[in-house]
Amino acid sequence: QSQLQESGPGLVKPSETLSLTCTVSGGSMSNSAYYWGWIRQAPGKGLEWIGSIYYSGNTYYNPSLKSRVTVSVDTSKNQFSLKLRSVTAADTADYYCARHLLPPSNWFDPWGQGTRVTVSS
Amino acid sequence: QSALTQPPSASGSPGQSVTISCTGTSSDVGGYDFVSWYQQNPGKAPKIMIYEVNKRPSGVPDRFSGSKSGNTASLTVSGLQAEDEADYYCSSYAGSNWVFGGGTKLTVL
């Protein structure tokens, strides 16, 4: 059973770039059955899907974030990453990585434990 | 795209049934049979409870069931137990992207 773990800075300054990495263990990211996604949750708010990537590099992005987001994959390290540019306080959230079946499936499982990112000067 | 609409709260007594709604549009909930439901306990990651409208992953009690009519999906929890108290989120495929609901806090009275 795969396990996912997010890592990255917990504090990012406004206008800078938020960078997070998700490390996958217990299975290969090159498994053709799965996409790998990022989801966030602002404090006290609901879930928001950010973007997903296939091991080949094919990506899907949330249209509302697409201009600021890049998701990339490094299968040699069994990792995928999130970059969110020009952050503001509204980007403060818990960021989760999760595996999901091929589109259109939205079976997101398993999830990482999440990492809190605060945008503040 | 807009988030799916859920009631902010729902409640029921132990043993009762409660239903949580999730309203979208023909571009998401109404257009695809790819609606899922997640349970989230405080400080924890979400856990999938229902996928493809009405299917339960292995290990999820059969007290949890899902359905859909038009642009509205529903999660029903039967025989409420104290351990069911949590936040619940719906999600739908929306054509090359995915949307979530705002969440419903389920309280077991």
Side-chain angles (χ1 to χ4, degrees):
Chain A
Q1 170 74 323
S2 291
Q3 293 185 325
L4 288 73
Q5 177 69 58
E6 306 88 350
S7 60
L11 180 64
V12 181
K13 291 181 168 55
S15 80
E16 295 191 344
T17 297
L18 179 160
S19 296
L20 295 174
T21 296
C22 183
T23 301
V24 179
S25 59
S28 171
M29 286 193 65
S30 298
N31 188 321
S32 60
Y34 302 115
Y35 265 71
W36 306 87
W38 289 98
I39 301 101
R40 71 179 182 178
Q41 184 173 35
K45 302 296 185 182
L47 300 168
E48 180 180 33
W49 171 75
I50 300 170
S52 296
I53 192 164
Y54 197 48
Y55 76 96
S56 63
N58 189 54
T59 53
Y60 294 98
Y61 293 127
N62 184 324
S64 66
L65 297 170
K66 186 174 183 178
S67 63
R68 298 194 293 131
V69 171
T70 300
V71 178
S72 58
V73 64
D74 186 339
T75 54
S76 68
K77 296 181 178 179
N78 238 28
Q79 295 177 332
F80 63 107
S81 298
L82 168 69
K83 290 189 184 301
L84 180 64
R85 297 174 290 278
S86 304
V87 298
T88 69
D91 295 309
T92 293
D94 291 326
Y95 286 76
Y96 295 95
C97 57
R99 184 185 73 181
H100 65 98
L101 297 176
L102 300 182
S105 174
N106 57 352
W107 180 338
F108 288 85
D109 180 71
W111 296 58
Q113 66 184 26
T115 188
R116 169 64 62 94
V117 178
T118 300
V119 179
S120 175
S121 56
Chain B
Q1 77 278 19
S2 300
L4 306 176
T5 300
Q6 298 181 235
S9 63
S11 63
S13 299
Q16 289 185 332
S17 293
V18 64
T19 297
I20 299 170
S21 63
C22 170
T23 301
T25 70
S26 59
S27 296
D28 38 63
V29 174
Y32 307 94
D33 286 336
F34 287 94
V35 176
S36 56
W37 290 89
Y38 295 85
Q39 178 190 68
Q40 187 180 34
N41 287 298
K44 300 294 187 181
K47 171 190 174 184
I48 189 162
M49 305 300 283
I50 296 288
Y51 68 101
E52 291 176 20
V53 176
N54 56 15
K55 298 177 182 177
R56 277 187 313 276
S58 174
V60 173
D62 60 6
R63 303 184 292 102
F64 291 85
S65 61
S67 63
K68 191 185 85 166
S69 178
N71 296 336
T72 298
S74 299
L75 172 72
T76 297
V77 186
S78 305
L80 269 176
Q81 299 183 5
E83 67 202 51
D84 300 329
E85 185 162 295
D87 294 328
Y88 291 85
Y89 294 90
C90 61
S91 174
S92 176
Y93 181 67
S96 298
N97 63 86
W98 291 264
V99 289
F100 284 89
T104 298
K105 182 175 182 58
L106 175 60
T107 301
V108 181
L109 302 171

